Amino acid sequence: MKKFLSVILVLAISLCGVFALVGCSKNENKNFDMVFITDGGTISDGAYNQSAWDGVKEFAEEKNMSYRYYQPSVDENGDVNVDTIGNYIKLAVDNKAEYIVMQGEKMAVAVDKYAPQYGDINFLLVDAYPHAENSDTVDSFTNVMTVTFDTLQAGYLAGYTSVIKGYNRVGYLGSVSDKSSASYGAGFVQGVAKAADEGGTPVICEYANYDADNLNYDYSFTIRPVYKKVSESTEKTFKVNVIGGMGSGVYADGENVTITADKPEKDKIFDHWEVKSDTEGVKDKKVNISSDKKSTMNLLVGDCDCTIKAVYKDAKTVQIVVAKSADLSLSSLYDTYNVEKNSTTFVTAPSAQSGMVFDHWECDDKDAIEDVNSASTNVTVKDKTISIIPVYVKSDTPTFDVTVENGTGSGSYRSGDHISVVADPPKDGYMFYKWENVDNQGNSTGIAMTNEYCYITDFEMIDRYSSIAEIMYDNGTQVIFGGGNSQADSIFTATWKISHQVYGFGYGYDQNSMGNCLSSVVTDYRVAIVNALKEYKGGSYYEGNCSNNCLYVVDMSTQKTYKDKDGNEVEDKNYNESYAKVYKALADGTIKPNLPADDVRTVVNSKCMTLNYWIK
């Protein structure tokens, strides 16, 4: 799960005309002993930034130190530029900061780059390791202390709690390529086994690594048009013949059909549509089109069969060449548009190949493309041919392959991408009926088409990882945990689609706001930061675990009573004796969860838990 969960853009204050910052402090002095730099999110995000800021404040106020936070601006993808972070680090240094606290993976590269430049500053990096960009090698610096968390213990608490809350069908959805996920998952199944054996109750645990090569699941799916015989239609139908364009077929009376002209040949441009009634006794004017001048228009089917012809006229044209590279040989061309001089044309990049995603357009004429970062954009030509090159990069988020049979629209897409599909014209005697889609396991894909009964339609790509969670829930799993992996939100996506009551188990912070959240195992940044700063030592690690109270499960308490604000002893309604005993055993080392080398089944030996490992 990405730790950046909610990006709120704020009205920025200009600082020396260079960059903007927002923040607050204990006082209004210019100099600050301690600075917290957020990952671009706010300090009221209800998650990691807020928890980290609470820790900074608590420590600073206890030590009578001045403090402030900076919130860097983010781009449209919610990312923070490393050099921008560097500006804030420099600002903190210029303002005499003794400590700079940063949290999360977004800040790891910045710490790696800038900490060596400021050897007198004490950096505290929470829940990430310093590393160079595009490198997995962890670096260590004498002025950087790193806060980590025992994710085995966190997973153990989540698994144990899921069972003692009364559930006997639980699941884990994680990633084999992520060490944190593997650790959370291993802890989870061991916690489930402990609770099952203690209670003597049979428990089933489903375990699926969504990116494992041997996972028995395929995220790709197929979309296909369904045709039916015209003779089977119970409605009155009419035949539409489009010459020089798209939209031919047999349609029901009253249907609204999109008609699009073919791209013009060289030195030709679209001029108008000619319409003709093909039903004897019905005049041509009964062919009801929305426009005879637009190359894409709508036909309201009714009254007659008809022929619609795209008419082109002579004109001096230039080309928009969509090319794979600057080499304009035929083998390197994607597409060609013949257009009028001094005109604007809407152009769409070809679909990306599996695992890739459109990044930007390249063109010698920088003013020709309206939005170089959009796969579909307006391109303006003057008096000569231009070539535009779509650039694709490896996606940093999952992509899912879609195959369109008997139509167009196949490609590799990310969740949120907008996809258009067009069915091929039906054979004589047949008519388009509807679209159907199914994944390679025969299950529903979950996509929602704008109009599944129209031969040309569109849909938004969904998060396909949620389909595994959906299958688990459909097969009886009651609660699923996804600690430590970037697709954990997929679990909650799936809970919203299941009619019966199912739950996700959150991690990192209290995820109750996600909906259908049974509970959450929290890695407490506040406590960990206070503890680490008290013991600060550059070049070392501080691990948050049960022994130092840096882990806990929401609504589960280890203490029978607590003191209220008036000092009165009050019974804690969240106290659970079994949870308290396991927490203590984890804290003193009596229970030591194990991390398997590869297969989680090797660390579990349970009498009452059955582990279903999802493999081919």
Side-chain angles (χ1 to χ4, degrees):
M1 178 186 297
K2 290 186 177 179
K3 291 186 177 178
F4 181 77
L5 298 164
S6 176
V7 177
I8 302 177
L9 299 179
V10 298
L11 183 63
I13 303 170
S14 176
L15 178 67
C16 302
V18 179
F19 56 92
L21 63 90
V22 292
C24 66
S25 64
K26 180 181 177 182
N27 54 52
E28 295 304 318
N29 295 335
K30 180 179 179 181
N31 297 336
F32 302 96
D33 301 318
M34 181 164 294
V35 169
F36 171 55
I37 304 176
T38 82
D39 64 0
T42 71
I43 57 164
S44 58
D45 62 2
Y48 298 103
N49 287 305
Q50 183 169 337
S51 183
W53 175 238
D54 288 344
V56 169
K57 286 196 301 179
E58 182 176 328
F59 177 80
E61 291 178 355
E62 181 180 325
K63 300 298 182 181
N64 197 29
M65 301 171 71
S66 57
Y67 56 92
R68 184 186 181 101
Y69 77 87
Y70 298 137
Q71 181 184 333
S73 59
V74 297
D75 61 23
E76 59 186 10
N77 297 317
D79 294 324
V80 186
N81 182 276
V82 171
D83 292 334
T84 298
I85 299 170
N87 289 335
Y88 285 95
I89 292 174
K90 183 178 185 304
L91 177 63
V93 173
D94 290 344
N95 286 340
K96 311 301 182 184
E98 181 181 350
Y99 294 93
I100 297 177
V101 180
M102 305 157 82
Q103 68 83 17
E105 182 60 31
K106 288 186 177 184
M107 315 306 278
V109 174
V111 170
D112 189 90
K113 180 177 180 179
Y114 291 102
Q117 299 179 26
Y118 303 104
D120 295 333
I121 305 299
N122 299 312
F123 287 84
L124 185 70
L125 179 61
V126 184
D127 216 2
Y129 298 95
H131 63 83
E133 194 168 8
N134 300 319
S135 172
D136 294 329
T137 302
V138 175
D139 295 321
S140 178
F141 304 101
T142 56
N143 63 329
V144 178
M145 186 177 189
T146 302
V147 174
T148 64
F149 293 92
D150 190 328
T151 50
L152 267 172
Q153 287 190 359
Y156 195 100
L157 289 174
Y160 187 84
T161 304
S162 296
V163 176
I164 65 172
K165 277 182 171 285
Y167 297 92
N168 58 12
R169 295 289 298 265
V170 301
Y172 181 78
L173 178 61
S175 164
V176 292
S177 63
D178 189 306
K179 292 180 181 179
S180 175
S181 179
S183 180
Y184 270 107
F188 182 79
V189 297
Q190 291 171 79
V192 170
K194 172 69 172 176
D197 290 345
E198 276 186 353
T201 304
V203 175
I204 296 175
C205 181
E206 306 285 344
Y207 192 98
N209 281 308
Y210 62 74
D211 60 356
D213 291 336
N214 64 346
L215 178 67
N216 188 23
Y217 199 86
D218 184 351
Y219 300 99
S220 63
F221 63 90
T222 299
I223 300 174
R224 61 177 67 91
V226 177
Y227 304 99
K228 66 179 181 181
K229 292 181 178 180
V230 175
S231 59
E232 295 175 351
S233 176
T234 58
E235 301 176 87
K236 189 175 183 180
T237 60
F238 296 96
K239 184 175 182 179
V240 177
N241 180 33
V242 180
I243 300 174
M246 181 177 65
S248 294
V250 177
Y251 302 98
D253 186 17
E255 193 167 347
N256 204 327
V257 180
T258 300
I259 307 293
T260 302
D262 292 336
K263 288 187 298 183
E265 297 178 355
K266 185 177 180 181
D267 292 332
K268 296 282 188 181
I269 61 171
F270 174 81
D271 186 60
H272 68 278
W273 294 101
E274 283 185 357
V275 298
K276 178 180 177 297
S277 168
D278 295 331
T279 300
E280 187 175 351
V282 178
K283 295 181 179 180
D284 294 343
K285 66 180 181 181
K286 288 293 186 178
V287 181
N288 189 358
I289 61 175
S290 61
S291 172
D292 64 352
K293 297 296 184 183
K294 293 182 178 180
S295 59
T296 296
M297 54 80 179
N298 288 328
L299 164 70
L300 182 61
V301 175
D303 296 321
C304 62
D305 297 335
C306 64
T307 296
I308 303 175
K309 181 180 180 181
V311 179
Y312 300 84
K313 67 179 181 180
D314 295 334
K316 288 296 183 181
T317 62
V318 292
Q319 290 184 329
I320 299 173
V321 179
V322 184
K324 298 178 183 178
S325 65
D327 171 22
L328 299 183
S329 62
L330 290 176
S331 61
S332 73
L333 298 184
Y334 283 119
D335 210 345
T336 300
Y337 297 79
N338 295 297
V339 299
E340 269 189 293
K341 295 179 180 179
N342 301 310
S343 67
T344 298
T345 302
F346 192 70
V347 174
T348 298
S351 299
Q353 295 182 347
S354 182
M356 305 295 285
V357 63
F358 173 85
D359 187 64
H360 68 278
W361 293 97
E362 289 183 352
C363 180
D364 290 337
D365 185 354
K366 296 181 179 179
D367 296 327
I369 302 176
E370 183 175 275
D371 185 355
V372 295
N373 297 312
S374 175
S376 297
T377 186
N378 286 318
V379 178
T380 300
V381 294
K382 296 178 181 177
D383 56 358
K384 62 180 181 180
T385 292
I386 64 170
S387 62
I388 58 176
I389 301 171
V391 178
Y392 301 90
V393 296
K394 187 175 181 180
S395 178
D396 59 358
T397 57
T399 63
F400 307 100
D401 295 337
V402 178
T403 299
V404 180
E405 293 183 352
N406 301 317
T408 60
S410 297
S412 181
Y413 303 102
R414 295 175 297 181
S415 176
D417 283 349
H418 195 78
I419 304 162
S420 296
V421 293
V422 182
D424 291 340
K427 298 184 296 184
D428 286 344
Y430 285 81
M431 60 186 295
F432 175 84
Y433 173 48
K434 68 174 183 177
W435 291 96
E436 68 175 12
N437 57 83
V438 64
D439 69 14
N440 292 337
Q441 283 70 41
N443 299 307
S444 170
T445 63
I447 66 168
M449 291 185 161
T450 301
N451 185 353
E452 64 178 310
Y453 293 97
C454 182
Y455 83 97
I456 178 170
T457 190
D458 52 62
F459 64 92
E460 185 176 294
M461 190 65 205
I462 66 164
D463 170 18
R464 288 284 290 144
Y465 286 136
S466 66
S467 56
I468 287 187
E470 287 182 51
I471 293 174
M472 287 183 176
Y473 288 132
D474 284 337
N475 290 341
T477 300
Q478 300 155 310
V479 57
I480 302 176
F481 179 58
N485 80 84
S486 60
Q487 302 307 315
D489 283 354
S490 301
I491 293 168
F492 292 99
T493 300
T495 67
W496 305 332
K497 298 177 182 178
I498 307 299
S499 58
H500 54 280
Q501 194 66 50
V502 294
Y503 297 97
F505 201 108
Y507 82 100
Y509 64 98
D510 185 354
Q511 291 186 274
N512 183 61
S513 61
M514 299 291 288
N516 290 77
C517 182
L518 177 66
S519 188
S520 300
V521 57
V522 175
T523 48
D524 197 330
Y525 281 24
R526 179 190 65 82
V527 174
I529 286 175
V530 172
N531 291 350
L533 288 172
K534 287 180 178 178
E535 303 176 13
Y536 188 89
K537 182 181 179 181
S540 69
Y541 299 89
Y542 180 88
E543 183 180 68
N545 52 44
C546 292
S547 70
N548 46 38
N549 297 314
C550 289
L551 304 174
Y552 67 90
V553 174
V554 174
D555 295 331
M556 299 293 285
S557 175
T558 60
Q559 303 295 325
K560 292 183 179 180
T561 63
Y562 66 92
K563 289 186 178 181
D564 64 15
K565 62 181 181 179
D566 297 322
N568 299 316
E569 199 80 10
V570 180
E571 180 183 352
D572 192 335
K573 295 181 179 180
N574 291 325
Y575 173 72
N576 183 285
E577 183 178 2
S578 297
Y579 173 82
K581 287 181 178 179
V582 163
Y583 195 96
K584 182 178 184 300
L586 288 168
D588 63 22
T590 304
I591 295 178
K592 294 181 178 179
N594 296 313
L595 181 64
D598 49 12
D599 190 333
V600 72
R601 291 173 293 181
T602 62
V603 297
V604 179
N605 182 18
S606 172
K607 295 180 180 179
C608 295
M609 184 194 74
T610 300
L611 182 62
N612 293 332
Y613 197 67
W614 286 39
I615 58 174
K616 292 182 181 178

